[in-house]
Each structure stands twice: as C-alpha cells, then as structure tokens.
C-alpha cells in the first residue's frame, strides 16, 4: 500500500511538472517603456525573449537577468541601447556611444564631455534641449557646437562673451548688437565661429554733405572727409574742394560742404 501511495504521489508530481511546462504563462514585457503581454512556455528570461524574437545586446539593460528563472517573475523590463554618433564642432572630433539613457545630456556624460551654458546641441540640424528625453531609435546623430569666446572692441567699450553661433554676424545679432552696412568691422560677418575671435567695430554715424545742387544724408564710419565722400558716391571734379579738406577728419558736427 505504501508503495502504491508513493507511486501515485510521484505520478501526481510528474503530471504537475508536465502541466507546468506545457501550460503557457503570460508575462508583462516592458520594451523601451512600452508594455505588452508575452505568452511563453520558457523557463528562463533568455529563452522567453528568444522565443519572442527579441535579441538582447551587451549594451542593453535587462531586468531580471537573462538566466533568471521565470517562476514568480511575471515582469520583464528591457531598455535597448541607442547608438549615438557624436560630432564635436569646432574641429573634427567624433565618438560613438552606446547608451540606454534617453537624454542627450547623459550621452555627453557617457562621452566624458560637459555641456557649458553657451554650448548647443543639434540632432538632424534641429537644436535640442540636453535634458529633454528622446524616443527610442536605433541610432541618433548628435552634434555638439562648443561655444567660442568673442572679444569685441566697440569704440572704447569692450564686450567679452561666449557664443556657439555659426558665424560672427549671428553671434553679434544674438547679443543684440546691430550692425549697418556702413559700419567698419575688422572681420566679415560671415566669419565662421570656429575659434576665439578678437573683433573691432566702429559704428557709422550720420554725415550731412552739402552740395551746390542739394544735400546728401548718409552714414559713415570713415575717419576722413574724402573717405566719407567716396562711400556716399560723391566725386570731386577738378576745381571742386571741400570744407573741411578731403584729408581732414570729419568734424564733430558731421557736416561737410562741397
């Protein structure tokens, strides 16, 4: 009788194991923040994911671990790693980062870089916030534009600021510094901001040119009367003369007679 009881118990246990193996179990799978139901007969996390056609790479984040038995583990969480191609400007520095983070700021940290206050980040040409999370994508192409220092001498006034603008002109505009065509600036406005720049700016001032047949109002940053006339397109004939003389500085009242 005892043997019969043991045999029956063994059969029950074997039947239970067979049922446990044969009956599908439902798990909750969170893949990159998206929840879904996974039905499996697998015993381990790795086998369940393989059966669902989900590959795990070494840079992915998996919880619980791949070798974990699924008994009492109804949830699996996967964060797939993003391959980030980072370009650093100025220069030609490039890095490839694999990270499960979703914010550009954390990608920079993984690359050993610190984002300064005037630096800018771009993805596909669009400026982005370093702290804003991005949706999962297999790849991102990230550009870091590091700020450069501009030292601007504007008359007797010096202004030193950092900018990650593409050109000198854009950097000045962002600082609220407006330039006119007649202004005298030591570098072209389309100069790339790929290095620290020392810039001198002389703003044009109004000049009143009195002619025999009328008057001309213009703006000029020239130092001499002759230069101001040339900029205004006023040419002197053989017997013409100016007050003050052509080679004289423009007077304080900014009035020139021809």
């Amino acid at each position: 009788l005892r043997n019969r009881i043991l045999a029956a118990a063994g059969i029950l246990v074997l039947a239970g194991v067979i049922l446990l193996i044969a009956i599908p179990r439902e798990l909750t799978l969170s893949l990159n923040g998206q929840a879904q139901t996974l039905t499996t007969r697998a015993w381990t996390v790795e086998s369940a994911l393989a059966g669902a056609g989900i590959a795990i790479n070494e840079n992915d984040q998996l919880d619980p671990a791949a070798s974990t038995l699924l008994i009492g583990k109804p949830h699996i969480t996967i964060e797939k790693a993003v391959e980030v191609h980072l370009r650093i400007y100025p220069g030609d520095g490039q890095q490839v980062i694999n990270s499960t983070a979703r914010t550009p700021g954390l990608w920079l940290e993984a690359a050993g870089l610190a984002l300064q206050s005037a630096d800018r980040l771009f993805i596909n040409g669009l400026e982005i916030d370093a702290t804003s999370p991005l949706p999962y994508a297999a790849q991102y192409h990230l550009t870091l534009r590091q700020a450069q220092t501009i030292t601007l001498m504007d008359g007797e006034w010096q202004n030193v600021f950092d900018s990650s603008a593409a050109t000198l002109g854009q950097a000045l505009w962002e600082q609220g510094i407006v330039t006119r065509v007649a202004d005298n600036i030591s570098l072209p406005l389309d100069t790339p901001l790929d290095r620290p720049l020392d810039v001198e700016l002389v703003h044009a001032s109004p000049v009143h040119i009195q002619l025999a047949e009328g008057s001309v109002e213009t703006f000029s940053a020239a130092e001499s009367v002759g230069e101001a006339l040339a900029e205004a397109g006023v040419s002197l004939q053989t017997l013409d003369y100016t007050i003050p003389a052509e080679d004289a500085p423009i007077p304080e009242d900014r009035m020139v007679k021809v």
Side-chain angles (χ1 to χ4, degrees):
L1 180 62
R2 181 183 177 189
N3 290 337
R4 290 180 179 178
I5 294 175
L6 290 176
I11 292 172
L12 290 175
V13 170
L14 180 60
V17 171
I18 293 173
L19 287 174
L20 186 62
I21 295 174
I23 296 175
R25 296 180 302 283
E26 288 191 349
L27 306 173
T28 300
L29 173 65
S30 176
L31 179 60
N32 298 321
Q34 301 295 317
Q36 55 185 279
T37 299
L38 178 64
T39 302
T40 183
R41 291 186 174 89
W43 280 85
T44 65
V45 171
E46 183 177 26
S47 298
L49 295 178
I54 300 174
I56 299 298
N57 299 319
E58 60 179 352
N59 296 305
D60 297 338
Q61 183 177 313
L62 175 63
D63 183 42
S67 59
T68 303
L69 292 176
L70 288 174
I71 299 174
K73 301 289 184 179
H75 303 287
I76 300 175
T77 301
I78 303 171
E79 290 293 336
K80 299 289 289 181
V82 176
E83 185 177 89
V84 182
H85 294 257
L86 173 62
R87 181 177 182 269
I88 304 168
Y89 186 87
D92 56 359
Q94 297 188 35
Q95 293 190 44
V96 177
I97 307 149
N98 290 282
S99 173
T100 55
R102 295 294 183 257
T103 59
L106 293 177
W107 296 343
L108 292 181
E109 288 184 18
L113 297 170
L115 187 69
Q116 305 302 319
S117 59
D119 293 345
R120 293 179 180 176
L121 287 173
F122 298 87
I123 286 181
N124 299 329
L126 299 177
E127 186 171 359
I128 58 169
D129 185 344
T131 60
S132 296
L134 297 171
Y136 171 77
Q139 283 190 354
Y140 274 108
H141 291 266
L142 179 69
T143 299
L144 168 63
R145 185 179 288 276
Q146 295 179 318
Q148 303 297 307
T149 300
I150 297 176
T151 302
L152 175 67
M153 288 300 303
D154 188 351
E156 296 182 355
W157 174 62
Q158 185 184 68
N159 185 10
V160 180
F161 59 94
D162 293 330
S163 175
S164 55
T167 64
L168 171 60
Q170 183 182 346
L172 295 178
W173 180 81
E174 291 176 354
Q175 290 291 313
I177 301 170
V178 179
T179 60
R180 296 186 178 93
V181 174
D183 290 346
N184 188 355
I185 189 166
S186 60
L187 291 173
L189 293 176
D190 60 357
T191 300
L193 202 56
D194 55 4
R195 64 191 186 281
L197 298 179
D198 292 323
V199 184
E200 294 184 12
L201 174 63
V202 179
H203 286 285
S205 299
V207 177
H208 178 85
I209 303 173
Q210 184 64 51
L211 304 171
E213 63 275 15
S215 63
V216 174
E217 298 289 342
T218 187
F219 281 84
S220 177
E223 295 183 359
S224 71
V225 170
E227 291 172 340
L229 293 176
E231 290 178 359
V234 177
S235 59
L236 299 179
Q237 305 304 315
T238 305
L239 298 178
D240 292 342
Y241 65 94
T242 65
I243 301 175
E246 281 187 78
D247 57 356
I250 297 175
E252 292 185 4
D253 62 6
R254 310 292 292 180
M255 296 187 65
V256 176
K257 293 182 180 181
V258 177

